[in-house]
Amino acid sequence: MRRLLLGAVVAALLPFHAALAQEANATQMEAITEIFRCMAQGLPQDWASAHMVVDLADPGDATGRVRYLVFRKDAEDKPEFFTPCDDTDGPPKALIALREQEPVERRGNFRLNYDFPTK
């Protein structure tokens, strides 16, 4: 199985600290799975990485603007927009709902990186 990357830049889930990595709990994994299922539906066969970027006008907003970007294997320096599943608002809503479960001090800028294990 090839190595796949999901969501290098995501606002609203796990804090990004260079020295701190965190395992996701069961609730977070359910949301990550829901997000991946949606994103996977719109990915081209030759994708190298996929990103969901959620921009909030103000910290703590419940809604914002979402963009889905894909980088292809032979053009990893050229992002392209793509449409995931029909419910393009579902994945960011799942992330924002997870944010509400986090302690207040952990609700700032976030990044979620998800890799499939290599075999």
Side-chain angles (χ1 to χ4, degrees), residues 58-116:
D58 294 304
D61 280 356
T63 61
R65 185 173 72 103
V66 63
R67 294 173 286 148
Y68 295 92
L69 302 170
V70 64
F71 293 82
R72 295 177 185 261
K73 289 179 186 174
D74 293 332
E76 293 189 42
D77 60 337
K78 297 177 185 171
E80 298 174 28
F81 291 102
F82 79 99
T83 301
C85 62
D86 291 334
D87 183 14
T88 58
D89 291 335
K93 285 180 181 177
L95 279 175
I96 289 170
L98 280 177
R99 180 189 63 193
E100 299 306 317
Q101 297 176 13
E102 293 294 319
V104 174
E105 65 274 7
R106 293 184 51 179
R107 294 183 187 176
N109 291 326
F110 297 91
R111 178 176 291 181
L112 165 69
N113 292 310
Y114 183 82
D115 272 320
F116 287 100

Side-chain angles (χ1 to χ4, degrees), residues 1-5 43-51 69-80:
M1 180 178 198
R2 69 178 195 229
R3 187 167 183 222
L4 307 176
L5 173 67
L43 292 172
Q45 289 291 323
D46 62 343
W47 70 286
S49 66
H51 306 260
L69 302 170
V70 64
F71 293 82
R72 295 177 185 261
K73 289 179 186 174
D74 293 332
E76 293 189 42
D77 60 337
K78 297 177 185 171
E80 298 174 28

